[in-house]
Structures are given as C-alpha cells and as structure tokens.
Amino acid sequence: MKSRVKNILKTEPADQAFTVCGWVRTKRDTGSFSFVEVNDGSCLSNLQIIADQSLPNYAADIKNISTGSSVVVHGILKASPAKGQAVELHAESLDVVGEADAEVYPLQKKRHTFEFLREISHLRPRTNALGAVARVRSRLSYAVHQFFQERRFVQVHTPIITTSDCEGAGEMFQVVTGQEKGTNDHFFGRSAGLTVSGQLQAEVYALALGDVYTFGPTFRAENSNTSRHLAEFWMIEPEMAFCDLQGNMKMAEEMLKYLLQDAMDNCPEDMQLFNNFIEKGLLKKLQTVVDKDFAHITYTEAVDRLCSCGKQFEYPVRWGIDLQSEHERYLTEEVFQRPLIVTDYPANIKPFYMRLSDDRKTVAAMDILVPGIGEIIGGSQREERLEVLLSRMVEAGINLDDYSWYTDLRRYGSVPHSGYGLGFERLVQFVTGMTNIREVIPFPRTPGSAPC
C-alpha cells in the first residue's frame, strides 16, 4: 500500500517501511548517492529520498531523473540529520514511472508568475502556491457541507439548466440545439439557459423542508474581464423558512467565521505559505474577522458616510446607485476596519424577489463586505406577500405565466423566509489572499478563454 507524504512526515522515524508515489521536484547528486525531493500533492512539503549507488538502476535511471518525472519509491524511514526536516526515506527501490524531458518541462526550480501559469493550467497544480490553493479549496468545500449538516440543513441539487432568470439581468448562457441546421430549436420546448443561481428552486424546498442549501456551479454571460469575475463559478446558497433578515444575517456571519477558522485549523502549512508569500498579515486579518462582531450599517447611512468623507472615488456616490468595489473596500478597510453588513438597499437596484420595506423605497436586503474583496455575501428576506410580489414582477417586466410555480409558493402556505449567496471563489480568494480570482478555481472560464 502506498503512503501519503503528509502522513509520513508526521511519523516518528522507527525504521518503518513505506512506499511513496509522486513527482520529482528537485534532485541533487553527490559522489555515491542522490537526494531526490518527491511530492505527491498531499501537502506543501516534499519528502527527501536518499538513493545510493547500490540500487541496481542507479546509473541507468536514478542519476538521469529530472524535475517532473513520476516515481515509485519503497524504502525505510529514518531520522534526518539535515535541518528543516525530521525524517527522510532511504530507498530500497526507486522506479521511474514516467519521464519528463528537462529541456522542455516548463516548471523548473524557480518562481513563475501566475500569468504564465494560467497558460499551462494543466500543470499549474504542481506548483507550491496553486497546489496549496487546491487543498484549501477542497477543505473549504468540506467545511461548507459540515457547517450546514451540523445544523440539520438539507442539501438540494438545483438544476444547472433552467428556464428562470433569478437575477433578471439577461446574462444567461442560452441552451440551444440544431445549430448545424441553421436553426435554434428549443430542446425543452421553451427558452432555457445555464443557471445564474439556484435560489428560486431552493425556495421550493425551503417551503417544504425548512432549512436547505445548494452548492453547485453557476454561470454568468457577462463580458467582464476583471480580477473579480468569472463566467463559471460555484455558489453556496442556503434558504431558510420562518426566517427574517436578522436571522439571515446571523447565519451568514456565523458561517463565514466557521469556514475561516476551519481553514486555519486544518490547513496550517498552506495558510502559512499564503501569509508569507501572497498576503503579508493574512492570518491576522482572518483571525480578526473570526474574533470580531461584524459592523452593521444601512445603505443610506453608507452613502452618507461616503459622500461626506472627502475622498475622491472613480465612481461618484449618490443614493440610488449600487455600491462599487472601491466604495465597499473603503468602508471595510478605512472606516470600520472589519467586515461590514450593509442593509436596506434601494428597491430599484435589487431583484423582484426581495421583500419590499414599509417605505416602499428599499428592500430587506443585506450584503456582507470584507476587507480586500468588498462584497462576499449577498442576501435578503424574500417577498412572501403574493400581491406585493406580483406587483414587483409586473414592474420588472416578468411574464407571470412563466413563474406561476414561484407565485404558487405564496398562494399555498406562504411563510417569511430568507437566504443568501456566497460566491465560493470569492471565499477562496479571501482565505488565500490571492489577488486574481482566476487563481482560485482549477480551470477558469473568462471571456475569450476556456483552457482544458
């Protein structure tokens, strides 16, 4: 049975036998033996292999191993006299499974720019930083399910192909067939697209099962080529019955703190890498988010603060427009210096399903803003009153017949309910300190680019 490097490095050296399968990071030869650094992706650290000339394939294979080659090593674990490592594996056999041509292999022992690594997305997981991102992303995914399952939420798999435009922005990838014939046949008998959100369908199950959540891919056909946007991304969307905006905000804050603490507790080596080389002070920033209560402010109060601060923004601020990233970051980084929840946004800039406030100018919406990113969570209490919902849908130009199933939820046992959406890549970006969202998803899809 093969062993993972992560587990071997934690083992007390007691002349135990181990088999390791991995890829060569570096190799250094001396007169009678070679030091081979092997990594199998289980952790950031490499395992040092000592291969001496007594091995039958030493001259033919081992001395010619290059970076990137895959190997299978069987050996005895011993205490290491070298600094920086407690153990090393003394090889009893070392077989080269797959060679890597050193002259053309693009990942050498040096730092590569993230821009360069995007050009070889099929190889970039082998680097320290992108491998660490993958492990932290995996752990965060696990923690998401753990958080909701511990609270008795039911996971719902909402459709990827949908006939509902949740955001009402017309930024959906349309699904059509028959293009080779010059037609646009509707496979489902009507216009359909790739989902931008599973929220509306999640409401169906929340109003039957109580508390539910979705966690799946979503798509946005927005021609936005920035460091914060992707055409394909993953969304976490809980939906809670008998829950108002206050309960919604409490759950969102609790979840965000839970996920940050889990990553720091379970990925210490990878998180230290990000703290040292990606964002200085990252761990302190994340711990501050966990330890401090989030600040609260209404949208109107936020606009007043921004208008009176004397700072010149690229996008001027006035009541009735959506806050931009520069506004959000100013509030979190300079004014409050901690995460901030902004509530009660103007109704005319928010989707039809958000609950209309008594002033009929604002809705029971909330955004959670964090330093360095801006908005990371957006949510609302949903409009549970049928007459108000119908009025809002008509104002938005929505065909009521297409959403009869949605309005039925208000006809048959309607209850106050709320939910929010957390862009998973935004979360991973915040946790790792990566400045570009393309680095925190395995295969980024952006306008004009879809590698692999």
Side-chain angles (χ1 to χ4, degrees), residues 203-275:
E203 287 187 52
V204 172
Y205 276 78
L207 296 182
L209 304 180
D211 296 338
V212 303
Y213 73 103
T214 75
F215 186 5
T218 54
F219 308 85
R220 193 69 60 88
E222 181 181 5
N223 191 20
S224 184
N225 227 326
T226 76
S227 61
R228 300 174 67 246
H229 292 90
L230 293 165
E232 177 185 32
F233 52 99
W234 288 67
M235 286 287 289
I236 303 157
E237 297 178 291
E239 197 71 29
M240 297 159 283
F242 301 97
C243 181
D244 61 11
L245 186 65
Q246 293 301 316
N248 196 34
M249 292 188 291
K250 182 180 179 182
M251 182 62 69
E253 179 175 346
E254 183 181 348
M255 183 197 71
L256 189 57
K257 290 182 175 184
Y258 180 99
L259 297 179
L260 301 188
Q261 189 65 63
D262 186 272
M264 290 188 287
D265 289 345
N266 292 287
C267 304
E269 187 182 27
D270 292 325
M271 293 302 300
Q272 193 63 55
L273 169 76
F274 300 132
N275 187 76

Side-chain angles (χ1 to χ4, degrees), residues 126-143:
R126 301 186 185 189
T127 64
N128 286 340
L130 275 299
V133 168
R135 286 186 292 271
V136 170
R137 181 184 172 103
S138 175
R139 180 67 208 187
L140 285 170
S141 177
Y142 176 85

